[in-house]
Amino acid sequence: MRIAMVGLGRMGANMVRRLIRDGHECVVHDISQDAVRRMEGEGAQGAGSLQDLVAALEPPRSVWLMLPAAITGDTVTELLGLLEGGDAIIDGGNSSYRDDIDRAEVAAVHDVDYVDCGTSGGVWGLERGYSLMIGGPDRAVQRLDPVFASLAPGLGAAERTPGRTGPVSRAEQGYLHCGPSGAGHFVKMVHNGIEYAIMAAYAEGLNVIRGAGVGKHQSDADAETAPLREPRYYPYDSVDLADVAEVWRRGSVIGSWLLDLTAEALVADPQLEQFTGRVSDSGEGRWTSIAAIEEGVPAPLLTAALYSRFASRGSELFANKVESAQRKEFGGHDEKPAAS
Amino acid sequence: MRIAMVGLGRMGANMVRRLIRDGHECVVHDISQDAVRRMEGEGAQGAGSLQDLVAALEPPRSVWLMLPAAITGDTVTELLGLLEGGDAIIDGGNSSYRDDIDRAEVAAVHDVDYVDCGTSGGVWGLERGYSLMIGGPDRAVQRLDPVFASLAPGLGAAERTPGRTGPVSRAEQGYLHCGPSGAGHFVKMVHNGIEYAIMAAYAEGLNVIRGAGVGKHQSDADAETAPLREPRYYPYDSVDLADVAEVWRRGSVIGSWLLDLTAEALVADPQLEQFTGRVSDSGEGRWTSIAAIEEGVPAPLLTAALYSRFASRGSELFANKVESAQRKEFGGHDEKPAAS
Amino acid sequence: MRIAMVGLGRMGANMVRRLIRDGHECVVHDISQDAVRRMEGEGAQGAGSLQDLVAALEPPRSVWLMLPAAITGDTVTELLGLLEGGDAIIDGGNSSYRDDIDRAEVAAVHDVDYVDCGTSGGVWGLERGYSLMIGGPDRAVQRLDPVFASLAPGLGAAERTPGRTGPVSRAEQGYLHCGPSGAGHFVKMVHNGIEYAIMAAYAEGLNVIRGAGVGKHQSDADAETAPLREPRYYPYDSVDLADVAEVWRRGSVIGSWLLDLTAEALVADPQLEQFTGRVSDSGEGRWTSIAAIEEGVPAPLLTAALYSRFASRGSELFANKVESAQRKEFGGHDEKPAAS
Amino acid sequence: MRIAMVGLGRMGANMVRRLIRDGHECVVHDISQDAVRRMEGEGAQGAGSLQDLVAALEPPRSVWLMLPAAITGDTVTELLGLLEGGDAIIDGGNSSYRDDIDRAEVAAVHDVDYVDCGTSGGVWGLERGYSLMIGGPDRAVQRLDPVFASLAPGLGAAERTPGRTGPVSRAEQGYLHCGPSGAGHFVKMVHNGIEYAIMAAYAEGLNVIRGAGVGKHQSDADAETAPLREPRYYPYDSVDLADVAEVWRRGSVIGSWLLDLTAEALVADPQLEQFTGRVSDSGEGRWTSIAAIEEGVPAPLLTAALYSRFASRGSELFANKVESAQRKEFGGHDEKPAAS
């Protein structure tokens, strides 16, 4: 079918490519004329403005947004002035599901269907397909089914789950209508919360293995630091972490795609020296923990993963200084300098 | 090659089957005569005692133990009285790596090689192969290479990691000599610590989605409980969790074998009504957190996963009572009864 | 000075008493006529309605609200229709500081000063005085100074902090103008977040002491549960927790008012048998963690305390069931029944 | 009574002073002759060696050790060669309770009573008295009662707990015989675990208040970072933290000695610029978490406080690098540089 894509960054451009491959007609727009021209060269129809883009579609129109969260709102507002009843806007970016709920209400006033679509797959999506978590009105979601089906990985991307029989469901093809407006981004948000935690789980575990030679190197034993009681149990100072990640990839309980990537990174740079360890977070992890809190549902790991990202960027520093100050007050303890 | 297996439970029996399939000769023993007879029916040579078992081998002998951790120590002691210099004991169970270090020292006095082998794969190992994390003396580890190779999944079990070129390493076949005595069980221990955390990550995330309809059902708004500020953001009371797990299996960043199993469990029993939620832990998770603490390396997620298992069995109850008592003291707050 | 109090629950009534003691004139209102009459008997002037209450004051009027958070908003709206420019509303309850920000904007349109006042002290405030954390416009905060001074504990409630010299500040008397609208409730909110954590710290610690006899009683050592490696280090099955709390009250680093209360509760009911362990949370703890998340500042303890309250009420159950289901899938592990 | 003190550091010297004030006779020893001479100047009897020290006592002798944990073991061994049946060694330092259990067994062979005494009070103990948590044989603990009573703060140090009536117990005077060998250090260990958590609770809370102006300063809104949804709720960029700590000292629920010290530190150095934020840990916090894990009792806050100390010293760095590497692999995300 014919569909417009606004935003031709890494994700948007690859999605257009995947749609074109599958026979869809794509009208594309981006603030970068170069990006538009590049996609024209790959078979898309370029549009110089949102107005042109809308004009290049037939009702009921479908305009897919693949934009930074900070820009999506204004673009939706502008589009609502250009679209007409029965048209649909699909937000495939990383918006907060709360914005979806708010925007869907406004769009409904214009009889425009607002569809939110959480999209996972990253730079690998062109090849592997995208996992799509969809929220919004049935009317648009059903109409867009061929688009979702083309973007999603399809049944063959994994073995069929035992117990799943009969006709293949959409979930089994890699896309799911999760519920009303915002439900798609809500499920995607939690997906990312889980992702943060799984990443941190491997990271912590590898760090524990990396520290397992402490018994061989411990030296300080002053009034401030208790000696390791049994250093003989920490003699492992030369375990090869890249090999450990590799061996876990086959036959172990913790095999995963994130582990595959971890193994790849450790082969390329065993000490990860190219990284400084400042880990960004893009919003979904925060929102997941906030949802847990507002629901009254405990999520200790998801939140711990988030907090560890915060701390990786230095924001725990003042708290640490408070503790140093307290120690000095009650025990006269001076801070120890960093090991040289 | 010829090897003995002591302990024919779920894991031990399947490992013998996998070895026999690959042409190895297995001498087997178990306290259950039935278990021995069953394996005899599948091509193994039974032994009525450890003495018979040792007698059925040629030096240098190899005796693999697949026993509950609580029994392994006594069996090793008994075996050391039967074996001779150059022989090897392999502990493939869930022993603490500290016991390996202690036992290897004793075995070394007898010139017996003590090999520890962390084994992952569970009930699926017969079919998928076992991930093997090995510690101990080179002499025995090298001699046992054909056995490890047969038990491990082999290169084909996963795509080759980009950046891995040239001859296929052991890690790529699914087994790894991690280091000296205990290193195998240490790496396996951390593997299980990670496993607990990944399991909990999915569990927490699904629970957050499950609670996303709280805005529709919230009622209490008394002096003790603040009302949800914006209930309109929690309207999702009918997201299908089995479908969510399914959609994440294809194309998403959090695909994994544990997710596959989660999806399977949710298809079979969407509300998981057959479970009471008491989650056991088998030792490795505890030891991983203890190692993190003794190394001075933070592992907040691994430990949170562990503590949540403890709490699932009721051990946080007294702490909760203390808090209820404190609230009553300072605020006159009575506990609220459970919702009926 | 003359001031109105709306809401004569535990807190409101005691605050009126403390104000009257100090020579202030109090006009009081409550939905309960009995509550009004009781305070009339103690020297307050009763008002049957908000209209009567406002009529009984001279401009610039001051109306203090001590109401459940769920009711405060409607009361403010009603009052804004009755008050005039230059008057002030003080919200001394447990409102979200976000509501303060929103309401202050609306009040400002009426030229009414909206003052938020986080109030700590619980049932002990009548005797000890209340710690007051205040936000809002200078005009009203300065005018209300005599009221705050009467409610607060005063300098004598604690020894002067070394380094504090010269004239006694308001903070040293127990009340503080923290900043613009909402700042008072923000600081009070974090105060409660800290409170949850301190309570949980004692609770966890006492629970660890309570479990220190596990080495004497451990029995199970099957394939699922690793035996305690060194049970001899857990022989303490008769430590008297009430005495422990008592001994910590004098000379130790962890002395505090919450510890005093804990000691009192343990003397009265050493096993805390009157409690079921369901711990409520009243909003501030949640909002503190949400603020931490939105600020990008890690608060692992504050959030852990909150999550443990959630879990005390059963909301972690489904997550635990997911883990049980996963264990059954990959390892064939059945759940173990609760110890009888 | 007559008692020997070995180790005249900050703690040991002050304890001797407090004992002398109360009429006890103290024989003292330290590796530093200066330290010995200083105490001689204050009324103690110096001893140049352990041999001299033992010779200066009458049986049954009492030798109190106030030494770094790393040295205590050797000193005990040496003393056991000098003492005789019925004598007592008291370890008042920060030993692991496990060492107490081990050493008490050895001492018992010599019929020497080994008493462990967890001591809290820091540099303030001379003035305030020391909270003493005692383990070991009744014989010695009873004989040493006058010493414990002199060191402890006494009943007057806090108001009597409501519900405590009749004769004043030892716990109410600030010392407690907690149980058999190791019980004193066990209770002291948990005390320190709680201390870490209370310190961190204040530190986290103050850090959240410190970050409450983020809505005024936020700037970045790119594809990597979601914008703050409602910056208007984070306008508080000038809350005075020293005043906040001060106001909480009077009438609030979270008043404590640690808060007093925090308030003092913030008056002296409002931004805590003299500190780098590297927080040491001296063993007890680690051992508390290990005990929680081995007992199967959750202690999420106590462990979070510990891990945050570890991270303050940089040990989480490699884990963070793993996460950065994973993000680069799956999303092509480069690390963002630290804000300049």
Side-chain angles (χ1 to χ4, degrees):
Chain A
M1 61 182 282
R2 192 164 175 84
I3 187 167
M5 176 69 70
V6 179
L8 300 173
R10 211 161 30 202
M11 292 284 285
N14 279 343
M15 291 168 81
V16 168
R17 288 184 185 106
R18 199 165 161 98
L19 287 170
I20 289 175
R21 274 193 204 168
D22 231 28
H24 299 283
E25 299 168 20
C26 294
V27 186
V28 301
H29 175 64
D30 193 282
I31 46 165
S32 155
Q33 290 298 328
D34 282 356
V36 173
R37 234 160 279 141
R38 201 175 320 119
M39 296 316 297
E40 283 176 337
E42 302 191 31
Q45 172 180 346
S49 67
L50 288 183
Q51 217 155 354
D52 292 354
L53 179 112
V54 169
L57 300 170
E58 298 291 317
R61 300 174 187 82
S62 306
V63 183
W64 190 299
L65 309 183
M66 215 64 210
L67 298 167
I71 302 168
T72 302
D74 289 345
T75 310
V76 168
T77 303
E78 191 179 344
L79 275 172
L80 287 178
L82 301 171
L83 296 174
E84 57 189 313
D87 290 350
I89 297 172
I90 307 98
D91 178 5
N94 287 325
S95 297
S96 163
Y97 78 94
R98 298 187 186 217
D99 288 329
D100 298 328
I101 291 177
D102 294 348
R103 290 170 190 158
E105 280 184 7
V106 177
V109 173
H110 298 256
D111 192 29
V112 169
D113 288 339
Y114 193 88
V115 175
D116 54 285
C117 181
T119 310
S120 180
V123 293
W124 299 78
L126 173 59
E127 174 189 333
R128 303 198 334 160
Y130 299 92
S131 177
L132 303 177
M133 293 146 265
I134 305 158
D138 285 345
R139 178 176 64 172
V141 174
Q142 282 172 16
R143 179 160 60 81
L144 288 158
D145 193 75
V147 167
F148 296 136
S150 292
L151 290 171
L155 178 69
E159 282 185 44
R160 200 162 194 197
T161 296
R164 293 255 176 200
T165 52
V168 173
S169 69
R170 289 168 174 175
E172 291 181 276
Q173 297 174 59
Y175 64 106
L176 178 67
H177 187 191
C178 300
S181 285
H185 274 134
F186 191 96
V187 170
K188 172 57 161 53
M189 169 189 87
V190 174
H191 165 281
N192 283 32
I194 294 171
E195 171 195 316
Y196 285 21
I198 295 177
M199 290 167 71
Y202 290 120
E204 289 182 4
L206 290 168
N207 203 17
V208 171
I209 294 175
R210 191 165 184 269
V214 69
K216 276 191 163 167
H217 309 294
Q218 178 164 328
S219 53
D220 43 4
D222 49 39
E224 302 284 300
T225 309
L228 196 52
R229 256 189 118 242
E230 299 170 305
R232 73 197 217 87
Y233 290 132
Y234 294 95
Y236 311 117
D237 58 357
S238 56
V239 180
D240 184 314
L241 295 183
D243 275 351
V244 166
E246 188 65 40
V247 81
W248 287 343
R249 294 184 65 228
R250 290 179 181 81
S252 103
V253 172
I254 61 171
S256 74
W257 191 55
L258 281 164
L259 178 61
D260 294 348
L261 300 179
T262 307
E264 183 175 349
L266 286 166
V267 165
D269 180 1
Q271 299 302 322
L272 303 176
E273 284 165 2
Q274 70 183 285
F275 300 100
T276 62
R278 293 179 58 84
V279 190
S280 293
D281 75 281
S282 58
E284 290 90 349
R286 300 184 182 202
W287 304 330
T288 303
S289 286
I290 291 173
I293 290 168
E294 297 204 320
E295 293 176 13
V297 166
L301 278 83
L302 305 194
T303 305
L306 182 69
Y307 283 159
S308 122
R309 292 192 173 200
F310 291 172
S312 81
R313 307 196 301 258
S315 60
E316 86 300 357
L317 180 60
F318 187 76
N320 292 338
K321 289 184 175 189
V322 170
E323 293 183 42
S324 281
Q326 292 166 326
R327 295 185 79 243
K328 177 147 188 158
E329 289 288 334
F330 74 71
H333 304 295
D334 286 317
E335 283 186 325
K336 298 177 74 173
S340 57
Chain B
M1 61 183 284
R2 191 165 176 84
I3 187 168
M5 175 70 69
V6 178
L8 299 173
R10 212 161 27 202
M11 292 284 285
N14 279 343
M15 292 169 81
V16 168
R17 288 183 184 107
R18 200 166 161 96
L19 288 169
I20 288 175
R21 274 193 203 167
D22 231 28
H24 298 283
E25 299 168 21
C26 295
V27 186
V28 302
H29 174 66
D30 193 282
I31 47 165
S32 154
Q33 290 298 328
D34 282 355
V36 173
R37 234 160 279 141
R38 201 175 319 120
M39 296 316 297
E40 285 177 336
E42 302 190 31
Q45 171 180 348
S49 67
L50 288 183
Q51 217 155 354
D52 292 353
L53 179 114
V54 169
L57 300 170
E58 298 291 317
R61 300 175 188 81
S62 305
V63 182
W64 190 298
L65 309 183
M66 215 63 210
L67 296 167
I71 302 168
T72 303
D74 289 346
T75 309
V76 169
T77 304
E78 192 178 344
L79 275 171
L80 287 177
L82 302 171
L83 295 174
E84 58 189 310
D87 290 349
I89 297 173
I90 307 99
D91 177 6
N94 287 324
S95 297
S96 163
Y97 78 94
R98 299 186 186 217
D99 288 329
D100 298 329
I101 291 176
D102 294 347
R103 290 170 190 158
E105 281 185 7
V106 177
V109 174
H110 298 255
D111 191 28
V112 169
D113 288 339
Y114 193 88
V115 175
D116 54 285
C117 180
T119 310
S120 180
V123 292
W124 301 77
L126 173 57
E127 175 189 332
R128 302 200 333 162
Y130 300 90
S131 176
L132 303 178
M133 292 146 266
I134 304 157
D138 285 346
R139 177 175 65 172
V141 174
Q142 283 172 15
R143 180 161 58 82
L144 288 158
D145 193 74
V147 167
F148 297 137
S150 292
L151 290 171
L155 178 69
E159 283 185 43
R160 200 162 194 198
T161 295
R164 292 256 176 200
T165 53
V168 173
S169 69
R170 289 169 174 174
E172 291 180 276
Q173 298 174 58
Y175 65 106
L176 179 66
H177 187 191
C178 301
S181 286
H185 274 134
F186 191 95
V187 171
K188 171 57 161 54
M189 168 189 87
V190 174
H191 164 282
N192 283 31
I194 294 171
E195 171 195 316
Y196 285 21
I198 295 178
M199 291 168 70
Y202 290 119
E204 288 183 4
L206 290 169
N207 203 17
V208 171
I209 295 175
R210 191 166 183 268
V214 68
K216 278 190 161 167
H217 308 296
Q218 178 163 330
S219 54
D220 42 3
D222 50 39
E224 302 284 298
T225 308
L228 197 52
R229 254 190 119 241
E230 299 170 304
R232 73 197 216 85
Y233 289 132
Y234 294 94
Y236 311 117
D237 58 357
S238 56
V239 180
D240 185 315
L241 296 182
D243 275 352
V244 167
E246 188 65 40
V247 82
W248 287 344
R249 294 184 64 227
R250 289 180 181 81
S252 103
V253 172
I254 61 171
S256 74
W257 191 55
L258 279 165
L259 178 62
D260 293 348
L261 300 180
T262 307
E264 182 174 350
L266 286 166
V267 165
D269 180 0
Q271 299 303 320
L272 303 176
E273 284 165 2
Q274 69 184 285
F275 300 100
T276 61
R278 293 179 58 85
V279 191
S280 293
D281 75 281
S282 58
E284 288 91 348
R286 301 184 181 202
W287 303 329
T288 302
S289 286
I290 291 173
I293 291 168
E294 298 203 320
E295 293 176 13
V297 166
L301 277 84
L302 306 194
T303 306
L306 182 69
Y307 283 159
S308 121
R309 292 193 173 198
F310 291 172
S312 81
R313 307 195 302 257
S315 60
E316 87 299 358
L317 181 59
F318 187 76
N320 292 338
K321 289 184 175 188
V322 170
E323 294 184 41
S324 281
Q326 291 166 326
R327 295 186 79 242
K328 178 148 188 158
E329 289 288 333
F330 74 71
H333 304 294
D334 285 317
E335 283 185 325
K336 297 176 75 174
S340 57
Chain C
M1 61 183 283
R2 194 164 174 83
I3 187 169
M5 176 69 70
V6 179
L8 300 172
R10 214 162 25 203
M11 292 283 285
N14 278 344
M15 291 168 82
V16 169
R17 287 183 185 109
R18 198 165 161 97
L19 287 169
I20 288 175
R21 273 193 204 170
D22 231 28
H24 299 284
E25 298 168 23
C26 294
V27 188
V28 301
H29 174 66
D30 193 281
I31 46 165
S32 155
Q33 289 300 327
D34 282 356
V36 173
R37 235 160 278 142
R38 202 175 318 120
M39 295 316 296
E40 284 177 336
E42 301 189 32
Q45 173 180 346
S49 67
L50 288 182
Q51 216 155 354
D52 292 353
L53 180 113
V54 169
L57 300 170
E58 298 292 317
R61 299 175 188 82
S62 305
V63 183
W64 189 300
L65 309 183
M66 214 65 211
L67 297 167
I71 302 168
T72 302
D74 290 345
T75 310
V76 169
T77 303
E78 193 178 342
L79 276 172
L80 286 177
L82 300 171
L83 297 174
E84 57 188 312
D87 290 349
I89 297 172
I90 308 99
D91 177 5
N94 287 325
S95 297
S96 164
Y97 78 94
R98 299 187 186 216
D99 288 327
D100 298 328
I101 290 176
D102 295 348
R103 289 170 191 157
E105 281 184 7
V106 177
V109 174
H110 298 257
D111 191 29
V112 169
D113 288 340
Y114 193 88
V115 175
D116 55 285
C117 181
T119 311
S120 179
V123 293
W124 300 78
L126 173 59
E127 175 189 331
R128 304 200 331 163
Y130 300 91
S131 178
L132 303 177
M133 293 146 265
I134 305 158
D138 285 345
R139 178 173 66 171
V141 174
Q142 283 172 16
R143 180 160 59 79
L144 287 158
D145 192 75
V147 167
F148 296 137
S150 291
L151 290 171
L155 179 68
E159 283 185 44
R160 201 162 194 197
T161 296
R164 292 254 177 202
T165 54
V168 173
S169 68
R170 289 169 174 173
E172 290 180 276
Q173 298 174 58
Y175 64 105
L176 179 67
H177 187 191
C178 300
S181 286
H185 274 134
F186 191 96
V187 171
K188 172 57 162 53
M189 169 190 87
V190 174
H191 165 283
N192 282 34
I194 295 172
E195 171 195 315
Y196 285 21
I198 295 178
M199 291 169 70
Y202 290 120
E204 288 182 3
L206 290 168
N207 203 17
V208 171
I209 295 175
R210 190 166 184 269
V214 68
K216 277 191 161 167
H217 309 295
Q218 178 164 331
S219 53
D220 40 5
D222 49 39
E224 302 283 300
T225 309
L228 196 52
R229 254 189 121 242
E230 299 170 305
R232 73 197 217 87
Y233 290 132
Y234 294 95
Y236 310 118
D237 58 357
S238 56
V239 180
D240 185 314
L241 295 183
D243 275 351
V244 166
E246 189 64 39
V247 83
W248 287 342
R249 293 185 63 229
R250 291 180 181 80
S252 103
V253 173
I254 61 171
S256 74
W257 190 55
L258 280 165
L259 177 63
D260 293 348
L261 300 179
T262 308
E264 183 175 348
L266 286 166
V267 164
D269 180 1
Q271 299 302 320
L272 303 177
E273 284 165 3
Q274 69 184 286
F275 300 100
T276 61
R278 292 178 58 84
V279 191
S280 293
D281 75 281
S282 58
E284 290 89 351
R286 300 184 182 202
W287 304 329
T288 303
S289 286
I290 290 173
I293 291 168
E294 297 203 320
E295 293 176 12
V297 166
L301 278 84
L302 305 194
T303 304
L306 182 69
Y307 283 160
S308 121
R309 290 192 175 201
F310 291 171
S312 81
R313 306 195 302 258
S315 60
E316 87 299 0
L317 181 60
F318 186 76
N320 292 338
K321 289 185 174 186
V322 170
E323 294 183 41
S324 281
Q326 291 166 325
R327 295 185 79 243
K328 177 145 188 160
E329 289 288 336
F330 74 71
H333 303 295
D334 285 317
E335 283 186 325
K336 297 175 75 173
S340 57
Chain D
M1 60 183 285
R2 192 164 176 85
I3 187 169
M5 176 70 70
V6 179
L8 299 172
R10 211 159 30 200
M11 292 284 285
N14 279 343
M15 292 169 80
V16 168
R17 290 184 184 107
R18 200 167 160 95
L19 287 169
I20 289 175
R21 275 193 203 169
D22 231 29
H24 299 283
E25 299 167 21
C26 294
V27 186
V28 302
H29 176 65
D30 193 281
I31 46 165
S32 154
Q33 289 299 328
D34 282 355
V36 172
R37 237 160 277 143
R38 201 176 317 119
M39 295 316 296
E40 284 177 336
E42 302 190 32
Q45 174 180 346
S49 66
L50 288 183
Q51 216 155 354
D52 291 354
L53 179 112
V54 168
L57 300 171
E58 298 291 316
R61 300 175 188 80
S62 304
V63 183
W64 190 298
L65 310 183
M66 215 63 210
L67 297 167
I71 303 169
T72 302
D74 289 345
T75 311
V76 169
T77 303
E78 191 178 344
L79 275 172
L80 287 177
L82 301 170
L83 296 174
E84 58 189 311
D87 291 349
I89 298 172
I90 308 99
D91 177 5
N94 287 325
S95 297
S96 163
Y97 78 94
R98 298 187 187 217
D99 287 328
D100 298 328
I101 291 177
D102 294 348
R103 290 169 190 159
E105 282 184 6
V106 177
V109 173
H110 299 256
D111 191 28
V112 169
D113 288 338
Y114 193 88
V115 175
D116 54 286
C117 181
T119 309
S120 179
V123 292
W124 299 78
L126 173 59
E127 174 189 333
R128 303 200 333 161
Y130 300 91
S131 177
L132 304 177
M133 292 145 267
I134 305 157
D138 286 345
R139 177 174 67 171
V141 174
Q142 282 172 16
R143 179 161 60 81
L144 288 158
D145 193 75
V147 167
F148 297 137
S150 292
L151 290 171
L155 179 67
E159 282 185 43
R160 200 163 195 198
T161 296
R164 292 256 176 200
T165 54
V168 173
S169 68
R170 289 170 173 172
E172 291 180 277
Q173 296 174 58
Y175 64 105
L176 179 66
H177 187 191
C178 301
S181 285
H185 274 135
F186 190 96
V187 171
K188 172 58 161 53
M189 168 189 88
V190 174
H191 165 281
N192 283 33
I194 294 171
E195 172 195 316
Y196 287 20
I198 294 178
M199 291 169 70
Y202 290 120
E204 288 182 5
L206 290 168
N207 203 16
V208 171
I209 294 175
R210 190 164 184 271
V214 68
K216 278 191 161 166
H217 308 295
Q218 178 163 332
S219 54
D220 42 3
D222 50 39
E224 302 284 299
T225 309
L228 196 52
R229 254 190 118 242
E230 299 169 305
R232 74 198 216 85
Y233 290 132
Y234 294 94
Y236 311 117
D237 57 358
S238 57
V239 180
D240 185 314
L241 296 183
D243 275 351
V244 166
E246 188 64 40
V247 82
W248 287 343
R249 293 185 64 228
R250 291 179 181 81
S252 102
V253 173
I254 60 172
S256 73
W257 191 54
L258 280 165
L259 177 62
D260 294 348
L261 300 179
T262 307
E264 183 175 348
L266 286 166
V267 164
D269 181 1
Q271 299 303 321
L272 303 176
E273 284 165 2
Q274 69 184 286
F275 300 99
T276 61
R278 293 178 57 84
V279 191
S280 293
D281 75 279
S282 58
E284 290 90 349
R286 300 183 181 201
W287 304 329
T288 303
S289 286
I290 291 173
I293 291 167
E294 297 203 320
E295 293 176 12
V297 166
L301 278 85
L302 305 194
T303 306
L306 182 69
Y307 284 160
S308 121
R309 292 192 174 199
F310 291 171
S312 81
R313 306 195 303 257
S315 60
E316 86 299 359
L317 180 60
F318 187 76
N320 292 338
K321 289 185 174 188
V322 170
E323 294 184 41
S324 281
Q326 291 165 326
R327 294 186 80 242
K328 176 145 189 160
E329 289 288 334
F330 72 73
H333 304 294
D334 284 319
E335 283 186 326
K336 297 176 75 174
S340 58

